[in-house]
Amino acid sequence: MRVLFVCSAGMSSTIAVNALKEEAKKNGIEIEVLAVGTQEFVDEVKNGWDVAMVAPQIRHRYSYLEEAAKEANVPCALIQPQAYSPLGGSRLLAQAKTLFEQRR
Amino acid sequence: MFDKISQFMDEHLSTPMARLAEQRHLRAIRDGIIATLPIIIVSSMFLVIAFMPNQLPKDWALTQFISANIGKILLPYRMAMFIMTLYAVFGIGYSLAKSYKLDGLSGAILSELAYLLTIVPFTVPKAGETVLALAKENPDLSAYLGTLPGGWLISAKNLGSAGLFIGILSAFFAVEVYRFTQKSNFKISMPPQVPASVARSFEALTPTAIVLLVISTITLWYGIDVHAFMGKLVAPLVTGTDSLSAVIIICLLGMFFWSFGIHGWSIVGSLARPMWLTLLENNSTAYAAGQAIPHIAAEPFYQWFIVIGGSGCTIGLALLFLLRSKSAYGKALGKTAFLPAVFNINEPMIFGAPIVLNPILIIPFIITPIVCASIAWVATSLNLVNRVVASAPWTLPGPIGAFIATGADWRAAVLNIILIIVSVLIYYPFFRLYDNKLLTEETNNNIE
Protein backbone atom coordinates (compact mmCIF):
# COMPACT_ATOMS: atom_id res chain seq x y z
CA MET A 1 0.00 0.00 0.00
CA ARG A 2 1.40 3.39 -0.99
CA VAL A 3 0.14 6.26 1.16
CA LEU A 4 0.74 9.96 0.47
CA PHE A 5 0.40 12.33 3.44
CA VAL A 6 0.03 16.07 3.07
CA CYS A 7 0.34 18.77 5.74
CA SER A 8 1.34 22.43 5.71
CA ALA A 9 5.06 21.98 5.14
CA GLY A 10 5.45 18.21 5.19
CA MET A 11 7.05 18.38 8.66
CA SER A 12 4.43 17.45 11.22
CA SER A 13 3.00 14.67 9.10
CA THR A 14 6.40 12.96 9.19
CA ILE A 15 5.62 12.12 12.82
CA ALA A 16 2.26 10.63 11.89
CA VAL A 17 4.03 8.79 9.08
CA ASN A 18 6.25 7.01 11.57
CA ALA A 19 3.26 6.09 13.72
CA LEU A 20 1.52 4.62 10.68
CA LYS A 21 4.61 2.70 9.54
CA GLU A 22 5.10 1.14 12.97
CA GLU A 23 1.47 0.12 13.16
CA ALA A 24 1.62 -1.43 9.67
CA LYS A 25 4.78 -3.33 10.63
CA LYS A 26 3.02 -4.71 13.70
CA ASN A 27 0.21 -5.93 11.47
CA GLY A 28 2.56 -7.31 8.83
CA ILE A 29 1.33 -4.93 6.13
CA GLU A 30 3.69 -3.80 3.40
CA ILE A 31 3.49 -0.01 3.33
CA GLU A 32 5.22 2.96 1.76
CA VAL A 33 4.43 6.42 3.16
CA LEU A 34 5.60 9.84 2.05
CA ALA A 35 4.83 13.22 3.67
CA VAL A 36 4.74 16.34 1.51
CA GLY A 37 3.69 20.00 1.83
CA THR A 38 0.62 21.39 0.07
CA GLN A 39 2.58 22.82 -2.85
CA GLU A 40 4.26 19.54 -3.73
CA PHE A 41 1.07 17.54 -3.29
CA VAL A 42 -0.60 18.53 -6.56
CA ASP A 43 2.28 17.12 -8.61
CA GLU A 44 3.26 14.25 -6.31
CA VAL A 45 -0.22 12.76 -6.14
CA LYS A 46 0.05 11.84 -9.83
CA ASN A 47 2.96 9.45 -9.14
CA GLY A 48 0.98 6.29 -8.60
CA TRP A 49 -0.16 6.55 -4.95
CA ASP A 50 -2.93 4.28 -3.67
CA VAL A 51 -4.25 6.61 -1.00
CA ALA A 52 -3.95 10.33 -0.12
CA MET A 53 -4.45 11.54 3.46
CA VAL A 54 -4.77 15.21 4.43
CA ALA A 55 -3.65 16.50 7.86
CA PRO A 56 -6.50 17.94 9.92
CA GLN A 57 -4.91 21.36 10.44
CA ILE A 58 -5.14 22.19 6.74
CA ARG A 59 -8.75 21.10 6.27
CA HIS A 60 -9.55 24.56 4.88
CA ARG A 61 -7.46 23.52 1.87
CA TYR A 62 -9.16 20.14 1.61
CA SER A 63 -11.42 20.81 -1.36
CA TYR A 64 -8.47 22.09 -3.39
CA LEU A 65 -6.32 19.07 -2.52
CA GLU A 66 -9.18 16.64 -3.03
CA GLU A 67 -9.68 17.99 -6.54
CA ALA A 68 -6.04 17.26 -7.40
CA ALA A 69 -6.36 13.76 -5.93
CA LYS A 70 -9.57 13.13 -7.84
CA GLU A 71 -7.90 14.08 -11.11
CA ALA A 72 -5.18 11.56 -10.37
CA ASN A 73 -7.82 8.98 -9.41
CA VAL A 74 -6.48 8.60 -5.87
CA PRO A 75 -8.98 8.20 -3.01
CA CYS A 76 -8.47 11.07 -0.57
CA ALA A 77 -9.62 11.75 2.99
CA LEU A 78 -9.13 14.11 5.88
CA ILE A 79 -7.27 12.46 8.77
CA GLN A 80 -9.37 12.36 11.95
CA PRO A 81 -7.87 14.77 14.52
CA GLN A 82 -7.55 11.99 17.13
CA ALA A 83 -5.56 9.86 14.70
CA TYR A 84 -3.10 12.65 13.91
CA SER A 85 -0.71 12.11 16.82
CA PRO A 86 2.21 9.83 17.59
CA LEU A 87 -0.23 7.65 19.52
CA GLY A 88 -2.85 7.48 16.79
CA GLY A 89 -1.19 4.78 14.68
CA SER A 90 -3.95 2.19 14.87
CA ARG A 91 -6.63 4.70 13.94
CA LEU A 92 -4.49 5.95 11.06
CA LEU A 93 -3.97 2.47 9.71
CA ALA A 94 -7.67 1.70 9.91
CA GLN A 95 -8.47 4.86 7.98
CA ALA A 96 -5.80 4.15 5.37
CA LYS A 97 -7.19 0.63 4.89
CA THR A 98 -10.74 1.90 4.39
CA LEU A 99 -9.48 4.34 1.79
CA PHE A 100 -7.45 1.62 0.12
CA GLU A 101 -10.66 -0.36 -0.42
CA GLN A 102 -12.21 2.59 -2.27
CA ARG A 103 -9.45 2.60 -4.85
CA ARG A 104 -10.36 1.88 -8.44
CA MET B 1 -22.88 22.68 25.62
CA PHE B 2 -19.22 23.45 24.94
CA ASP B 3 -19.26 20.90 22.12
CA LYS B 4 -22.29 22.46 20.49
CA ILE B 5 -20.93 26.01 20.66
CA SER B 6 -17.53 24.97 19.32
CA GLN B 7 -19.05 22.94 16.51
CA PHE B 8 -21.24 25.89 15.54
CA MET B 9 -18.27 28.29 15.61
CA ASP B 10 -16.16 25.89 13.57
CA GLU B 11 -18.79 25.42 10.88
CA HIS B 12 -19.86 29.04 10.61
CA LEU B 13 -16.80 31.04 11.58
CA SER B 14 -13.33 29.49 11.65
CA THR B 15 -13.55 27.17 8.66
CA PRO B 16 -15.22 29.71 6.32
CA MET B 17 -12.68 32.36 7.42
CA ALA B 18 -9.83 29.94 6.83
CA ARG B 19 -11.18 29.21 3.36
CA LEU B 20 -10.93 32.91 2.53
CA ALA B 21 -7.17 32.65 2.95
CA GLU B 22 -7.30 29.99 0.25
CA GLN B 23 -8.41 32.53 -2.34
CA ARG B 24 -6.16 31.88 -5.33
CA HIS B 25 -4.34 35.23 -5.33
CA LEU B 26 -3.59 35.02 -1.61
CA ARG B 27 -2.47 31.43 -2.09
CA ALA B 28 -0.19 32.51 -4.94
CA ILE B 29 1.43 35.19 -2.75
CA ARG B 30 1.91 32.70 0.06
CA ASP B 31 3.33 29.92 -2.11
CA GLY B 32 5.49 32.30 -4.14
CA ILE B 33 7.04 33.88 -1.07
CA ILE B 34 7.48 30.56 0.73
CA ALA B 35 9.41 29.30 -2.29
CA THR B 36 11.98 32.07 -1.67
CA LEU B 37 12.53 31.18 2.01
CA PRO B 38 15.55 28.91 1.40
CA ILE B 39 17.25 31.82 -0.37
CA ILE B 40 16.42 34.19 2.47
CA ILE B 41 17.53 31.79 5.18
CA VAL B 42 20.84 30.79 3.62
CA SER B 43 21.82 34.24 2.42
CA SER B 44 20.96 35.92 5.72
CA MET B 45 23.60 33.66 7.30
CA PHE B 46 26.19 35.74 5.43
CA LEU B 47 24.79 38.75 7.20
CA VAL B 48 25.24 37.05 10.55
CA ILE B 49 28.80 36.00 9.71
CA ALA B 50 29.75 39.44 8.37
CA PHE B 51 28.83 41.07 11.68
CA MET B 52 30.24 38.37 13.95
CA PRO B 53 33.21 40.62 14.80
CA ASN B 54 30.83 42.72 16.96
CA GLN B 55 30.51 39.70 19.27
CA LEU B 56 34.07 38.30 19.07
CA PRO B 57 37.31 39.43 20.71
CA LYS B 58 38.92 42.12 18.55
CA ASP B 59 42.39 40.56 18.46
CA TRP B 60 41.40 37.21 16.94
CA ALA B 61 42.71 36.59 13.44
CA LEU B 62 39.22 35.47 12.39
CA THR B 63 37.69 38.73 13.64
CA GLN B 64 40.23 40.78 11.75
CA PHE B 65 39.80 38.73 8.58
CA ILE B 66 36.03 39.16 8.60
CA SER B 67 36.25 42.88 9.32
CA ALA B 68 38.70 43.39 6.47
CA ASN B 69 36.52 41.52 3.95
CA ILE B 70 33.03 42.50 5.09
CA GLY B 71 31.99 43.93 1.71
CA LYS B 72 32.91 40.74 -0.12
CA ILE B 73 31.31 38.50 2.50
CA LEU B 74 28.05 40.41 2.05
CA LEU B 75 27.99 40.05 -1.76
CA PRO B 76 26.06 36.73 -1.82
CA TYR B 77 23.48 38.31 0.51
CA ARG B 78 23.20 41.29 -1.88
CA MET B 79 22.38 38.97 -4.78
CA ALA B 80 19.88 36.92 -2.76
CA MET B 81 17.89 38.26 0.20
CA PHE B 82 18.65 41.87 -0.69
CA ILE B 83 16.78 41.44 -4.02
CA MET B 84 14.24 38.87 -2.81
CA THR B 85 11.29 40.32 -4.75
CA LEU B 86 12.97 39.34 -8.00
CA TYR B 87 12.66 35.72 -6.88
CA ALA B 88 9.27 36.01 -5.21
CA VAL B 89 7.62 37.44 -8.34
CA PHE B 90 8.69 34.38 -10.28
CA GLY B 91 7.11 32.10 -7.68
CA ILE B 92 3.92 34.15 -7.41
CA GLY B 93 3.45 34.21 -11.19
CA TYR B 94 4.11 30.48 -11.38
CA SER B 95 1.63 29.62 -8.62
CA LEU B 96 -1.09 31.90 -9.93
CA ALA B 97 -0.77 30.57 -13.49
CA LYS B 98 -0.85 26.99 -12.19
CA SER B 99 -4.00 27.75 -10.18
CA TYR B 100 -5.69 28.73 -13.45
CA LYS B 101 -4.32 25.54 -15.05
CA LEU B 102 -2.14 27.62 -17.37
CA ASP B 103 1.50 26.96 -18.10
CA GLY B 104 3.37 27.86 -14.89
CA LEU B 105 6.65 28.74 -16.52
CA SER B 106 5.03 31.13 -19.04
CA GLY B 107 3.14 32.80 -16.20
CA ALA B 108 6.32 33.15 -14.17
CA ILE B 109 8.35 34.64 -17.01
CA LEU B 110 5.58 37.01 -17.99
CA SER B 111 5.30 38.15 -14.36
CA GLU B 112 9.03 38.76 -14.16
CA LEU B 113 8.82 40.83 -17.34
CA ALA B 114 5.95 42.93 -15.99
CA TYR B 115 7.83 43.51 -12.75
CA LEU B 116 11.16 44.46 -14.32
CA LEU B 117 9.37 46.92 -16.60
CA THR B 118 8.40 48.89 -13.49
CA ILE B 119 12.06 49.58 -12.79
CA VAL B 120 13.60 52.22 -15.02
CA PRO B 121 17.13 51.45 -16.21
CA PHE B 122 19.62 54.28 -16.55
CA THR B 123 23.19 55.05 -17.59
CA VAL B 124 25.80 57.10 -15.79
CA PRO B 125 26.21 60.27 -17.86
CA LYS B 126 29.67 60.78 -19.37
CA ALA B 127 31.92 63.33 -17.68
CA GLY B 128 31.77 66.73 -19.41
CA GLU B 129 34.78 68.69 -20.64
CA THR B 130 35.13 70.78 -17.49
CA VAL B 131 35.12 67.67 -15.31
CA LEU B 132 37.69 65.98 -17.55
CA ALA B 133 39.87 69.08 -17.44
CA LEU B 134 39.71 69.08 -13.64
CA ALA B 135 40.46 65.35 -13.56
CA LYS B 136 43.68 65.92 -15.46
CA GLU B 137 44.99 68.00 -12.59
CA ASN B 138 43.41 65.97 -9.78
CA PRO B 139 44.47 62.29 -9.61
CA ASP B 140 41.80 61.52 -6.99
CA LEU B 141 39.02 62.73 -9.26
CA SER B 142 40.56 60.89 -12.18
CA ALA B 143 40.67 57.64 -10.21
CA TYR B 144 37.05 58.16 -9.14
CA LEU B 145 35.90 58.67 -12.74
CA GLY B 146 37.65 55.41 -13.59
CA THR B 147 35.44 53.52 -11.12
CA LEU B 148 32.15 54.75 -12.62
CA PRO B 149 30.27 51.91 -14.32
CA GLY B 150 29.41 52.05 -18.00
CA GLY B 151 26.45 50.49 -19.82
CA TRP B 152 22.86 50.18 -18.63
CA LEU B 153 22.24 49.91 -14.89
CA ILE B 154 19.27 49.19 -12.65
CA SER B 155 19.01 50.10 -9.00
CA ALA B 156 18.74 47.13 -6.65
CA LYS B 157 16.52 49.12 -4.30
CA ASN B 158 13.16 48.19 -5.80
CA LEU B 159 14.23 44.60 -6.43
CA GLY B 160 14.14 44.03 -2.68
CA SER B 161 11.25 44.24 -0.25
CA ALA B 162 10.69 47.89 -1.22
CA GLY B 163 9.37 46.54 -4.52
CA LEU B 164 7.43 43.62 -3.05
CA PHE B 165 3.93 45.04 -3.36
CA ILE B 166 4.51 46.27 -6.92
CA GLY B 167 6.01 42.84 -7.63
CA ILE B 168 2.84 41.14 -6.38
CA LEU B 169 0.62 43.40 -8.48
CA SER B 170 2.85 42.94 -11.55
CA ALA B 171 2.51 39.16 -11.26
CA PHE B 172 -1.28 39.45 -10.87
CA PHE B 173 -1.52 41.74 -13.88
CA ALA B 174 0.69 39.58 -16.08
CA VAL B 175 -1.09 36.32 -15.26
CA GLU B 176 -4.56 37.86 -15.57
CA VAL B 177 -3.65 39.19 -19.02
CA TYR B 178 -2.31 35.75 -19.89
CA ARG B 179 -5.50 34.11 -18.70
CA PHE B 180 -7.71 36.65 -20.48
CA THR B 181 -5.97 36.11 -23.82
CA GLN B 182 -6.14 32.33 -23.44
CA LYS B 183 -9.80 32.28 -22.42
CA SER B 184 -11.20 34.86 -24.78
CA ASN B 185 -9.26 33.60 -27.80
CA PHE B 186 -7.94 37.13 -28.14
CA LYS B 187 -4.68 35.74 -29.44
CA ILE B 188 -2.91 34.97 -32.67
CA SER B 189 -4.39 31.64 -33.80
CA MET B 190 -2.82 29.54 -36.50
CA PRO B 191 -4.66 27.36 -39.03
CA PRO B 192 -4.92 23.74 -37.86
CA GLN B 193 -2.24 22.58 -40.34
CA VAL B 194 0.43 24.46 -38.30
CA PRO B 195 2.16 22.18 -35.75
CA ALA B 196 0.88 22.64 -32.18
CA SER B 197 4.21 23.76 -30.74
CA VAL B 198 4.60 26.44 -33.39
CA ALA B 199 1.03 27.60 -32.79
CA ARG B 200 1.69 27.85 -29.05
CA SER B 201 4.74 30.03 -29.57
CA PHE B 202 2.52 32.52 -31.40
CA GLU B 203 -0.17 32.32 -28.73
CA ALA B 204 2.27 33.59 -26.14
CA LEU B 205 2.97 36.71 -28.19
CA THR B 206 -0.34 38.45 -27.49
CA PRO B 207 -0.19 38.54 -23.67
CA THR B 208 3.50 39.46 -23.84
CA ALA B 209 2.74 42.37 -26.16
CA ILE B 210 -0.09 43.63 -23.94
CA VAL B 211 2.02 43.41 -20.76
CA LEU B 212 5.00 45.06 -22.41
CA LEU B 213 3.04 47.93 -23.93
CA VAL B 214 0.81 48.71 -20.95
CA ILE B 215 3.53 48.72 -18.30
CA SER B 216 6.14 50.41 -20.48
CA THR B 217 3.67 53.19 -21.19
CA ILE B 218 3.02 53.81 -17.50
CA THR B 219 6.51 53.50 -16.08
CA LEU B 220 9.09 53.91 -18.81
CA TRP B 221 7.45 56.40 -21.19
CA TYR B 222 5.16 58.40 -18.92
CA GLY B 223 7.78 58.02 -16.20
CA ILE B 224 5.35 57.37 -13.35
CA ASP B 225 7.26 56.08 -10.32
CA VAL B 226 4.85 53.33 -9.25
CA HIS B 227 7.23 52.17 -6.54
CA ALA B 228 7.25 55.56 -4.78
CA PHE B 229 3.45 55.69 -5.02
CA MET B 230 3.02 52.17 -3.66
CA GLY B 231 5.57 52.84 -0.92
CA LYS B 232 3.44 55.72 0.39
CA LEU B 233 0.31 53.60 0.13
CA VAL B 234 1.59 50.62 2.13
CA ALA B 235 3.78 52.52 4.60
CA PRO B 236 1.00 52.74 7.24
CA LEU B 237 0.32 49.02 6.79
CA VAL B 238 3.96 48.12 7.34
CA THR B 239 4.50 50.39 10.35
CA GLY B 240 1.14 49.28 11.73
CA THR B 241 2.31 45.66 11.70
CA ASP B 242 5.32 46.75 13.76
CA SER B 243 3.40 47.47 16.96
CA LEU B 244 2.65 45.47 20.09
CA SER B 245 -1.10 45.68 19.48
CA ALA B 246 -0.65 44.25 15.96
CA VAL B 247 1.52 41.46 17.36
CA ILE B 248 -1.15 40.58 19.92
CA ILE B 249 -3.95 40.67 17.32
CA ILE B 250 -1.92 38.42 15.01
CA CYS B 251 -1.28 35.98 17.89
CA LEU B 252 -4.96 35.96 18.87
CA LEU B 253 -6.03 35.26 15.28
CA GLY B 254 -3.48 32.48 14.87
CA MET B 255 -4.52 30.87 18.15
CA PHE B 256 -8.21 31.25 17.30
CA PHE B 257 -7.79 29.07 14.22
CA TRP B 258 -5.52 26.59 15.98
CA SER B 259 -8.09 26.18 18.77
CA PHE B 260 -10.28 24.57 16.14
CA GLY B 261 -7.37 22.55 14.79
CA ILE B 262 -6.77 24.69 11.70
CA HIS B 263 -3.20 25.76 10.90
CA GLY B 264 -3.64 29.34 12.14
CA TRP B 265 -0.10 30.38 11.54
CA SER B 266 -0.25 29.53 7.86
CA ILE B 267 -3.51 31.48 7.48
CA VAL B 268 -2.36 34.59 9.34
CA GLY B 269 1.01 34.32 7.61
CA SER B 270 -0.64 34.42 4.18
CA LEU B 271 -1.83 37.92 4.97
CA ALA B 272 1.00 39.19 7.17
CA ARG B 273 4.05 37.72 5.43
CA PRO B 274 4.54 40.53 2.86
CA MET B 275 4.61 42.99 5.78
CA TRP B 276 6.85 40.73 7.89
CA LEU B 277 9.29 40.39 5.02
CA THR B 278 9.36 44.12 4.44
CA LEU B 279 10.11 44.69 8.13
CA LEU B 280 12.84 42.05 8.14
CA GLU B 281 14.44 43.30 4.98
CA ASN B 282 14.44 46.90 6.27
CA ASN B 283 16.20 45.55 9.35
CA SER B 284 18.80 43.53 7.46
CA THR B 285 19.47 46.42 5.09
CA ALA B 286 20.05 48.77 8.02
CA TYR B 287 22.21 46.13 9.70
CA ALA B 288 24.34 45.64 6.58
CA ALA B 289 24.76 49.42 6.37
CA GLY B 290 25.78 49.65 10.02
CA GLN B 291 22.72 51.74 10.93
CA ALA B 292 20.25 51.46 13.83
CA ILE B 293 17.76 48.60 13.33
CA PRO B 294 14.30 50.14 12.75
CA HIS B 295 11.73 47.41 13.46
CA ILE B 296 10.84 44.85 16.14
CA ALA B 297 8.01 42.66 14.87
CA ALA B 298 9.43 40.91 11.79
CA GLU B 299 8.60 37.19 11.45
CA PRO B 300 11.70 35.89 13.33
CA PHE B 301 10.49 37.85 16.38
CA TYR B 302 7.42 35.61 16.44
CA GLN B 303 9.42 32.50 15.66
CA TRP B 304 11.94 32.82 18.46
CA PHE B 305 10.10 34.71 21.19
CA ILE B 306 6.43 33.79 20.76
CA VAL B 307 5.86 30.41 19.09
CA ILE B 308 8.68 28.57 20.86
CA GLY B 309 8.07 24.85 20.47
CA GLY B 310 5.27 25.60 18.01
CA SER B 311 2.12 27.76 17.96
CA GLY B 312 0.89 28.57 21.45
CA CYS B 313 4.45 28.53 22.82
CA THR B 314 3.73 24.94 23.82
CA ILE B 315 7.33 24.09 24.69
CA GLY B 316 6.37 24.43 28.37
CA LEU B 317 3.49 22.02 27.98
CA ALA B 318 5.74 19.51 26.22
CA LEU B 319 8.24 19.70 29.09
CA LEU B 320 5.43 19.21 31.62
CA PHE B 321 4.04 16.16 29.82
CA LEU B 322 7.54 14.72 29.65
CA LEU B 323 8.58 15.34 33.26
CA ARG B 324 5.50 15.81 35.42
CA SER B 325 2.82 13.58 33.95
CA LYS B 326 1.13 11.09 36.27
CA SER B 327 -1.33 9.62 33.78
CA ALA B 328 -0.13 6.85 31.47
CA TYR B 329 -1.44 8.69 28.43
CA GLY B 330 0.32 11.92 29.42
CA LYS B 331 3.61 10.08 29.94
CA ALA B 332 3.40 8.36 26.57
CA LEU B 333 2.51 11.63 24.89
CA GLY B 334 5.38 13.47 26.59
CA LYS B 335 7.87 10.89 25.39
CA THR B 336 6.80 11.14 21.75
CA ALA B 337 5.85 14.83 21.58
CA PHE B 338 8.80 16.41 23.36
CA LEU B 339 11.49 15.90 20.72
CA PRO B 340 9.42 17.34 17.83
CA ALA B 341 8.60 20.28 20.14
CA VAL B 342 12.31 21.03 20.54
CA PHE B 343 12.28 21.58 16.77
CA ASN B 344 9.10 23.68 16.96
CA ILE B 345 6.73 21.02 15.66
CA ASN B 346 3.75 20.62 17.97
CA GLU B 347 0.99 19.04 15.94
CA PRO B 348 1.56 15.78 17.88
CA MET B 349 0.57 17.68 21.03
CA ILE B 350 -2.12 19.88 19.50
CA PHE B 351 -3.95 16.83 18.20
CA GLY B 352 -2.54 14.31 20.65
CA ALA B 353 -3.21 16.00 24.02
CA PRO B 354 -5.44 17.29 22.43
CA ILE B 355 -5.39 21.06 22.72
CA VAL B 356 -7.95 21.39 19.92
CA LEU B 357 -11.40 22.04 21.39
CA ASN B 358 -10.08 21.29 24.87
CA PRO B 359 -11.60 23.87 27.22
CA ILE B 360 -8.79 23.42 29.79
CA LEU B 361 -5.71 23.64 27.58
CA ILE B 362 -7.03 26.29 25.16
CA ILE B 363 -6.78 28.93 27.91
CA PRO B 364 -2.97 28.80 28.38
CA PHE B 365 -2.62 28.09 24.65
CA ILE B 366 -3.99 31.59 24.00
CA ILE B 367 -2.53 33.40 27.05
CA THR B 368 1.09 32.17 26.83
CA PRO B 369 1.94 33.62 23.40
CA ILE B 370 0.49 37.00 24.40
CA VAL B 371 2.47 37.12 27.65
CA CYS B 372 5.66 36.05 25.85
CA ALA B 373 5.05 38.60 23.09
CA SER B 374 4.69 41.39 25.66
CA ILE B 375 7.83 40.38 27.57
CA ALA B 376 9.86 40.08 24.37
CA TRP B 377 8.50 43.38 23.06
CA VAL B 378 9.56 45.22 26.23
CA ALA B 379 12.97 43.52 26.29
CA THR B 380 13.59 44.41 22.65
CA SER B 381 12.33 48.00 23.01
CA LEU B 382 14.69 48.55 25.96
CA ASN B 383 17.54 47.18 23.81
CA LEU B 384 18.12 44.38 26.32
CA VAL B 385 18.26 42.11 23.26
CA ASN B 386 19.08 42.95 19.65
CA ARG B 387 16.29 43.26 17.12
CA VAL B 388 15.93 40.45 14.59
CA VAL B 389 17.95 40.92 11.41
CA ALA B 390 18.21 37.43 9.93
CA SER B 391 15.95 34.52 9.20
CA ALA B 392 16.99 31.24 10.82
CA PRO B 393 15.37 27.92 9.81
CA TRP B 394 12.20 27.59 11.91
CA THR B 395 13.03 24.02 12.88
CA LEU B 396 16.09 25.05 14.92
CA PRO B 397 15.83 24.65 18.72
CA GLY B 398 14.68 27.97 20.27
CA PRO B 399 17.82 29.39 21.89
CA ILE B 400 19.97 28.63 18.82
CA GLY B 401 17.43 30.18 16.45
CA ALA B 402 17.10 33.27 18.64
CA PHE B 403 20.89 33.62 18.74
CA ILE B 404 21.22 33.51 14.95
CA ALA B 405 18.15 35.63 14.12
CA THR B 406 19.40 38.53 16.24
CA GLY B 407 22.81 38.58 14.56
CA ALA B 408 24.53 36.33 17.13
CA ASP B 409 23.26 38.01 20.32
CA TRP B 410 23.65 35.62 23.27
CA ARG B 411 21.15 37.67 25.28
CA ALA B 412 18.45 36.62 22.79
CA ALA B 413 19.18 32.98 23.64
CA VAL B 414 18.80 33.86 27.33
CA LEU B 415 15.49 35.63 26.63
CA ASN B 416 14.34 32.53 24.73
CA ILE B 417 15.13 30.35 27.76
CA ILE B 418 13.37 32.77 30.12
CA LEU B 419 10.29 32.60 27.88
CA ILE B 420 10.41 28.80 27.97
CA ILE B 421 10.29 29.02 31.77
CA VAL B 422 7.38 31.48 31.51
CA SER B 423 5.62 28.97 29.27
CA VAL B 424 6.13 26.18 31.84
CA LEU B 425 4.75 28.40 34.63
CA ILE B 426 1.62 29.47 32.73
CA TYR B 427 0.83 25.98 31.44
CA TYR B 428 1.49 24.28 34.79
CA PRO B 429 -1.89 24.76 36.61
CA PHE B 430 -3.86 23.87 33.48
CA PHE B 431 -1.64 20.89 32.78
CA ARG B 432 -2.13 19.69 36.38
CA LEU B 433 -5.87 19.96 36.04
CA TYR B 434 -5.93 18.12 32.74
CA ASP B 435 -3.44 15.42 33.73
CA ASN B 436 -5.44 14.70 36.87
CA LYS B 437 -8.55 14.40 34.74
CA LEU B 438 -6.76 11.88 32.51
CA LEU B 439 -5.54 10.00 35.57
CA THR B 440 -9.04 9.78 37.07
CA GLU B 441 -10.39 8.49 33.77
CA GLU B 442 -7.64 5.89 33.61
CA THR B 443 -8.21 4.62 37.17
CA ASN B 444 -11.99 4.52 36.62
CA ASN B 445 -11.46 2.47 33.49
CA ASN B 446 -9.21 0.08 35.37
CA ILE B 447 -11.80 -0.41 38.14
CA GLU B 448 -14.50 -1.16 35.61
Side-chain angles (χ1 to χ4, degrees), chain A residues 56-103:
Chain A
Q57 75 271 29
I58 52 165
R59 65 170 178 273
H60 53 289
R61 274 178 223 162
Y62 182 70
S63 55
Y64 160 71
L65 298 168
E66 189 194 25
E67 195 186 321
K70 213 177 243 168
E71 274 175 31
N73 231 335
V74 178
C76 177
L78 201 58
I79 300 170
Q80 301 148 354
Q82 308 88 325
Y84 197 68
S85 89
L87 309 173
S90 60
R91 278 197 175 123
L92 267 180
L93 185 65
Q95 208 183 352
K97 273 185 182 163
T98 322
L99 271 179
F100 189 71
E101 308 287 305
Q102 297 168 8
R103 190 175 49 107

Side-chain angles (χ1 to χ4, degrees), chain B residues 297-366:
Chain B
E299 192 173 9
F301 177 80
Y302 293 81
Q303 279 169 338
W304 307 114
F305 302 131
I306 301 177
V307 296
I308 310 164
S311 300
C313 196
T314 52
I315 186 75
L317 185 62
L319 272 165
L320 288 166
F321 270 120
L322 181 71
L323 302 174
R324 284 274 171 272
S325 211
K326 287 177 188 155
S327 65
Y329 185 81
K331 278 180 193 160
L333 183 71
K335 264 183 216 147
T336 42
F338 178 71
L339 209 60
V342 170
F343 301 99
N344 306 311
I345 294 168
N346 66 347
E347 279 89 343
M349 215 159 29
I350 289 184
F351 293 103
I355 299 172
V356 175
L357 300 182
N358 179 336
I360 301 173
L361 291 181
I362 279 178
I363 301 167
F365 187 65
I366 293 171

Side-chain angles (χ1 to χ4, degrees), chain B residues 11-86:
Chain B
E11 275 168 20
H12 295 93
L13 196 62
S14 61
T15 307
M17 271 171 74
R19 285 215 185 94
L20 280 185
E22 290 306 293
Q23 193 274 340
R24 70 173 79 236
H25 293 87
L26 288 177
R27 204 170 66 211
I29 297 178
R30 183 188 68 215
D31 292 350
I33 290 180
I34 284 177
T36 66
L37 289 184
I39 292 180
I40 292 176
I41 289 172
V42 175
S43 70
S44 69
M45 291 306 116
F46 287 86
L47 204 62
V48 176
I49 292 166
F51 290 91
M52 281 292 258
N54 294 343
Q55 320 285 338
L56 297 174
K58 290 269 174 289
D59 51 345
W60 283 15
L62 179 70
T63 316
Q64 285 162 2
F65 175 81
I66 294 176
S67 300
N69 292 291
I70 189 162
K72 273 188 188 161
I73 293 171
L74 283 176
L75 282 180
Y77 151 81
R78 300 262 180 229
M79 295 316 285
M81 183 184 184
F82 191 61
I83 53 171
M84 49 144 291
T85 301
L86 190 66

